[in-house]
Amino acid sequence: MAIMAMATVRKANNFHLANVLTLLTCSIFVTPTMAGEWQFVPTFGIEETYTDNVELTITDPTSSLVSQAILGVGVDYQSRFANFSFTGENNNLFFSHDSSIDDNYLTLNSQGSLYLWSDGPEIFATAVVDNTSRNSASNSLADLVSGDTVQSESYATGLRYNVNNSSFALQSAVTYSTSRFEDDIGDYDSESIYINTNNNNNARLVFWQLNSSYSKREQNSLGITRDGKQYSVDAKLGLITPIDLNPFIRFYDEDFSGTFGNQSQPTTSSWGPGFRWLVSQHLQLDLSYNYVTDDEVSDDYVAASIQWDPSARTSLTAGYSQRFFGDSYDLSFQHRTKRLTNTISYDETLEVFDRNSFQQIDLGAFWCPTGSTIANIANCFAQSEQPDDSQFQLTNFFYLEPVESNEFSLNKRFSWNSTLQLARTSFTFSASGTRRESIESEIVDDTLSASFTINRRISGKSKLTLLAKYDNNIYDKNNPAGSRQEDDYRTLSATYTKNLASSLSTHFTLQQVNRDSTVEQYTYDELRAIINVTKEF
């Protein structure tokens, strides 16, 4: 029933994935052996938000009281062979300063899976509908109150099969997914396959390790169909010897191609001998010398990796290699104690058909009152109509607008999360960063986010949350004379949450956001006061 509700928000040509989700849910209903427990929790909430700068302008801010009526439902099912969860909300907004922008929004998150038999393959499906920033260069923190959002929909279904026994481990999946946006920027359909396998402790003569993937994204825009394909294979096959040095052969290959122009960087495969050093029972080092097939693309290189599992609570994997763009690294670290949890990761991926490409839109030069922005450009005069008033100055207006990304980009992502859990208080530090390098146009965008959160349980029914957050976005970083734009967001908030009864809760939030931008019209300060009351039925 929840999935059928989801299907109403789909476009007509995307009902096939909703039908898959519906069939999966129906199979849970009709199969006797799937008997499990259902939970159904409707909710109703009222939220009042006062903002002193609802339009996020640098001058002449407009205050508003934004009222929200929130209807929600949560569904959960668990059994031996199947699980299903659904959360959804319909949010109606009413603005005191301008009733013409009143609107309603839908969000949902649904996922389900069904094992064909015990420890067998697993059919899975997911559906997510959300409202995201329409233009991150205009406002990456855009939400329902500030506006300038678009509805996003993503759906996926596929088959997973994982095995982990004393002889070998296998992780594999075949997935079909689709992504749609209200403004049609970033739409695509995708097919992907990955197979990862390695030997386990029972191997006596040979060891192996294989990481392979293939994906194809397809986009149809204005009657033109484009696709982007990529695959990679990283394989090792070696002999197990009586000593702690085991020789192996490594093979690596990757390629990417698309029907939207030539890529500026060719790729090549490589192979070479290496050895695995078993330093201890929980530590191994791999080192190999790799000969490239096409020496005009790359020189021969050395690759290395480390795997360290000193305890069940700590693990580290890291690697160095070379790809078509040069040096390549990966990192995954996890450490957990009774009080402290740390997670650090770094990876490098190729992507295409996203919403992260921009073009500069020039509006021209206008005579405007000092401090004018695009929001009040109606008060300005054309360049040829210079007013006599000395309070007017010549101002150039431009902005970055998201466009279709019709080229591959290399995305280097780093994340770090640390949580210290005390008896009644927790401290969480989170940081993440992404460098996006367009392969063909060589445009570089950087994003950085860091936050520090304190959660304090005041009593059994109340808690206090303090948040300090910093975001830095740089667009077209290497083009300071052109469309380079840098934004700094500073957010401070305090939230007090109180459970009034077993099914009734409220929270009160004070939040301040300060944004500094090299594009003056995007600089603003905003203060919000939010009170929310939610009732579960």
Side-chain angles (χ1 to χ4, degrees):
M1 180 173 62
I3 292 300
M4 293 175 65
M6 172 274 293
T8 62
V9 301
R10 296 284 290 147
K11 296 181 180 179
N13 62 340
N14 292 322
F15 278 108
H16 52 289
L17 278 173
N19 291 335
V20 171
L21 291 168
T22 304
L23 290 174
L24 177 60
T25 307
C26 291
S27 67
I28 296 174
F29 272 112
V30 301
T31 308
T33 59
M34 301 297 173
E37 180 181 356
W38 283 92
Q39 292 184 345
F40 183 80
V41 182
T43 60
F44 175 70
I46 296 176
E47 184 168 294
E48 298 289 341
T49 302
Y50 171 79
T51 169
D52 66 352
N53 191 1
V54 68
E55 295 175 345
L56 307 181
T57 56
I58 188 174
T59 59
D60 300 324
T62 300
S63 61
S64 182
L65 180 65
V66 185
S67 302
Q68 303 183 49
I70 308 167
L71 291 172
V73 63
V75 181
D76 188 73
Y77 173 85
Q78 299 288 336
S79 75
R80 180 184 175 188
F81 288 100
N83 67 78
F84 171 73
S85 65
F86 172 91
T87 57
E89 288 185 350
N90 188 59
N91 197 323
N92 295 272
L93 272 72
F94 308 92
F95 295 82
S96 66
H97 77 291
D98 186 359
S99 60
S100 66
I101 62 175
D102 294 351
D103 208 341
N104 64 85
Y105 301 88
L106 174 69
T107 61
L108 68 84
N109 191 324
S110 180
Q111 57 184 356
S113 63
L114 173 67
Y115 284 94
L116 300 183
W117 61 82
S118 180
D119 298 325
E122 177 189 16
I123 301 173
F124 66 90
T126 63
V128 177
V129 177
D130 203 355
N131 297 279
T132 62
S133 174
R134 185 193 68 83
N135 182 348
S136 62
S138 173
N139 183 15
S140 66
L141 303 185
D143 58 13
L144 300 185
V145 173
S146 63
D148 203 24
T149 64
V150 295
Q151 181 173 282
S152 61
E153 305 173 24
S154 60
Y155 304 88
T157 186
L159 182 69
R160 279 193 295 254
Y161 185 49
N162 298 329
V163 178
N164 192 358
N165 54 42
S166 59
S167 298
F168 69 96
L170 170 69
Q171 299 86 38
S172 61
V174 178
T175 306
Y176 176 79
S177 61
T178 183
S179 178
R180 295 291 183 269
F181 291 87
E182 187 178 353
D183 57 5
D184 299 326
I185 298 175
D187 294 354
Y188 65 82
D189 298 310
S190 174
E191 305 162 6
S192 64
I193 302 171
Y194 75 81
I195 300 175
N196 300 330
T197 181
N198 58 269
N199 64 286
N200 275 340
N201 296 332
N202 274 0
R204 294 293 179 264
L205 298 178
V206 298
F207 67 91
W208 71 88
Q209 181 177 323
L210 170 67
N211 297 308
S212 60
S213 65
Y214 167 83
S215 68
K216 175 184 177 182
R217 284 189 177 183
E218 188 172 87
Q219 181 188 73
N220 192 308
S221 177
L222 302 176
I224 300 175
T225 299
R226 302 179 178 90
D227 65 63
K229 305 174 186 177
Q230 57 177 304
Y231 83 91
S232 66
V233 176
D234 189 352
K236 296 176 183 177
L237 179 63
L239 296 176
I240 299 176
T241 67
I243 60 177
D244 293 332
L245 291 177
N246 299 325
F248 65 81
I249 296 294
R250 177 179 185 258
F251 173 78
Y252 181 81
D253 190 28
E254 73 171 323
D255 193 21
F256 62 99
S257 60
T259 58
F260 41 80
N262 297 322
Q263 298 299 319
S264 61
Q265 305 250 6
T267 61
T268 183
S269 59
S270 61
W271 70 276
F275 65 88
R276 172 169 295 177
W277 179 22
L278 303 177
V279 182
S280 69
Q281 183 180 358
H282 303 288
L283 174 63
Q284 69 178 37
L285 300 174
D286 286 5
L287 189 67
S288 62
Y289 187 85
N290 298 266
Y291 301 95
V292 299
T293 304
D294 187 350
D295 56 9
E296 294 184 359
V297 175
S298 171
D299 296 328
D300 299 340
Y301 64 93
V302 174
S305 65
I306 180 174
Q307 182 174 335
W308 184 42
D309 299 291
S311 69
R313 295 185 173 188
T314 303
S315 66
L316 168 69
T317 58
Y320 164 78
S321 183
Q322 284 197 9
R323 297 174 62 184
F324 67 92
F325 54 84
D327 295 340
S328 176
Y329 304 87
D330 64 86
L331 171 69
S332 177
F333 173 73
Q334 294 181 337
H335 175 66
R336 178 172 54 88
T337 65
K338 183 179 180 180
R339 300 290 188 187
L340 183 64
T341 301
N342 291 291
T343 303
I344 301 174
S345 66
Y346 174 82
D347 63 72
E348 300 169 342
T349 60
L350 287 173
E351 295 180 6
V352 68
F353 303 143
D354 56 28
R355 293 178 58 86
N356 299 318
S357 292
F358 298 87
Q359 66 178 0
Q360 181 173 314
I361 306 298
D362 292 306
L363 299 179
F366 298 84
W367 291 102
C368 301
T370 302
S372 293
T373 68
I374 290 178
N376 48 25
I377 195 174
N379 299 325
C380 303
F381 298 90
Q383 185 175 3
S384 60
E385 303 174 0
Q386 181 177 358
D388 296 331
D389 194 334
S390 60
Q391 297 299 316
F392 283 73
Q393 62 181 14
L394 194 62
T395 305
N396 289 297
F397 289 117
F398 74 90
Y399 64 94
L400 297 178
E401 186 73 8
V403 294
E404 295 284 2
S405 174
N406 294 327
E407 62 175 308
F408 278 97
S409 63
L410 173 64
N411 294 266
K412 302 178 179 180
R413 294 186 175 93
F414 171 81
S415 67
W416 175 11
N417 185 276
S418 295
T419 300
L420 175 63
Q421 182 66 59
L422 304 180
R424 301 180 63 177
T425 308
S426 68
F427 303 88
T428 301
F429 173 77
S430 296
S432 62
T434 299
R435 166 159 291 187
R436 181 181 184 274
E437 302 174 357
S438 300
I439 300 300
E440 190 70 21
S441 59
E442 299 183 347
I443 294 175
V444 176
D445 299 328
D446 283 350
T447 62
L448 172 67
S449 179
S451 66
F452 182 69
T453 306
I454 302 174
N455 280 289
R456 171 69 176 177
R457 181 166 55 85
I458 300 173
S459 68
K461 294 185 177 181
S462 62
K463 70 175 182 178
L464 178 66
T465 302
L466 303 177
L467 169 69
K469 189 170 184 287
Y470 172 75
D471 296 278
N472 174 261
N473 302 331
I474 305 178
Y475 304 93
D476 204 358
K477 181 177 182 178
N478 298 331
N479 186 20
S483 58
R484 185 184 191 276
Q485 175 182 324
E486 182 172 2
D487 302 322
D488 291 308
Y489 299 85
R490 300 171 185 87
T491 304
L492 295 173
S493 71
T495 300
Y496 175 75
T497 303
K498 176 76 172 180
N499 293 326
L500 303 177
S502 60
S503 58
L504 182 65
S505 63
T506 183
H507 69 253
F508 178 74
T509 300
L510 284 175
Q511 175 182 288
Q512 182 183 32
V513 178
N514 167 263
R515 178 185 182 182
D516 289 322
S517 177
T518 54
V519 181
E520 185 180 12
Q521 61 263 27
Y522 289 150
T523 297
Y524 69 85
D525 289 291
E526 183 194 19
L527 178 65
R528 290 185 185 181
I530 307 166
I531 186 169
N532 175 287
V533 179
T534 300
K535 169 66 176 177
E536 294 183 354
F537 298 92

